[in-house]
Amino acid sequence: ETGVTQTPRHLVMGMTNKKSLKCEQHLGHNAMYWYKQSAKKPLELMFVYSLEERVENNSVPSRFSPECPNSSHLFLHLHTLQPEDSALYLCASSQGLTWGHYGYTFGSGTRLTVV
Amino acid sequence: LAKTTQPISMDSYEGQEVNITCSHNNIATNDYITWYQQFPSQGPRFIIQGYKTKVTNEVASLFIPADRKSSTLSLPRVSLSDTAVYYCLVGDNEGSGNTGKLIFGQGTTLQVKP
């Protein structure tokens, strides 16, 4: 366990479904991130939250909707996804919006399959 | 963030020392060099970070020449469990007021064979 917990670990959803991914950290960090990793591709930064405010949205389609109710929790709400959205979705946290000397702490990810 | 270049893949055998070199010709004065390891279906994990010369921890060593335009991650006596993707990242770890975002490249896929 890294201190960043993601649920569920695996998710299969239809294109018309609505689902949510959850991320929780108890490291006392105040910044949280969503990354997407498609097969054979580098990690893509999707959203950045600092002190529960969204500070970056990297041109992500509106079918992905993040929510950060407090500094310990981050959600990614999904609706009307496409098969190409199938990927590993990774959550990370950090103390401040910097790498620090230990970078980000990542969760184990949610493997999403859209059918 | 400075661009990095590293080999796409490497093969090794159990018990060997593995050296993965990363080029970062445009590294800035305030930039640090950080390496991450990622196993399949898991998030990346911090391995080691350095600024210059040599850094060693319980997992790996990082060699950085004086010009800092490259760095080499050294994994001693690898085992099958070291099969993973290794990412080299370069940037200002204090952020300098900017979001010091971790931007990952393709990484190096290390395959350790028995």
Side-chain angles (χ1 to χ4, degrees):
Chain A
E1 278 299 327
T2 64
V4 178
T5 303
Q6 291 187 243
T7 53
R9 288 298 309 274
H10 300 273
L11 177 63
V12 179
M13 61 185 288
M15 290 189 284
T16 58
N17 290 158
K18 291 184 180 181
K19 296 286 184 183
S20 296
L21 309 184
K22 179 182 177 182
C23 177
E24 186 173 353
Q25 61 92 6
H26 296 290
L27 300 169
H29 291 167
N30 55 22
M32 297 185 78
Y33 312 80
W34 281 116
Y35 281 83
K36 174 186 178 183
Q37 187 172 33
S38 304
K40 308 295 184 184
K41 290 185 178 180
L43 282 80
E44 302 170 50
L45 180 63
M46 299 175 72
F47 300 105
V48 180
Y49 275 83
S50 174
L51 298 172
E52 300 139 48
E53 278 192 38
R54 189 188 313 178
V55 297
E56 186 147 342
N57 175 350
N58 277 353
S59 303
V60 179
S62 60
R63 58 186 183 269
F64 295 91
S65 175
E67 179 189 2
C68 187
N70 55 63
S71 58
S72 298
H73 294 85
L74 184 66
F75 295 89
L76 187 62
H77 304 298
L78 317 170
H79 64 97
T80 57
L81 295 191
Q82 304 298 312
E84 60 264 29
D85 296 321
S86 299
L88 180 68
Y89 289 85
L90 290 159
C91 173
S93 69
S94 65
Q95 185 54 42
L97 288 171
T98 65
W99 293 11
H101 289 283
Y102 297 99
Y104 298 177
T105 302
F106 283 85
S108 296
T110 294
R111 172 67 64 186
L112 174 67
T113 303
V114 181
V115 297
Chain B
L1 294 175
K3 180 178 171 57
T4 61
T5 303
Q6 51 183 124
I8 295 294
S9 64
M10 293 181 69
D11 288 341
S12 182
Y13 291 92
E14 281 190 292
Q16 288 187 334
E17 177 184 76
V18 171
N19 296 308
I20 306 174
T21 297
C22 178
S23 297
H24 28 80
N25 291 318
N26 297 321
I27 189 168
T29 303
N30 294 333
D31 285 348
Y32 278 70
I33 300 153
T34 308
W35 286 80
Y36 275 76
Q37 174 191 57
Q38 185 181 23
F39 297 114
S41 296
Q42 292 190 26
R45 182 176 73 102
F46 173 92
I47 301 177
I48 197 166
Q49 183 180 88
Y51 184 79
K52 61 181 179 180
T53 64
K54 176 184 175 182
V55 180
T56 297
N57 62 22
E58 64 278 5
V59 176
S61 294
L62 179 60
F63 298 92
I64 306 168
D67 66 5
R68 302 199 329 121
K69 294 184 182 299
S70 68
S71 58
T72 299
L73 174 73
S74 181
L75 305 172
R77 296 180 299 281
V78 294
S79 63
L80 296 176
S81 62
D82 291 315
T83 294
V85 180
Y86 292 83
Y87 298 96
C88 166
L89 297 100
V90 172
D92 181 350
N93 73 348
E94 297 297 328
S96 296
N98 299 316
T99 53
K101 303 181 294 290
L102 281 183
I103 305 298
F104 289 81
Q106 293 278 7
T108 297
T109 299
L110 172 66
Q111 179 70 51
V112 179
K113 302 175 182 177

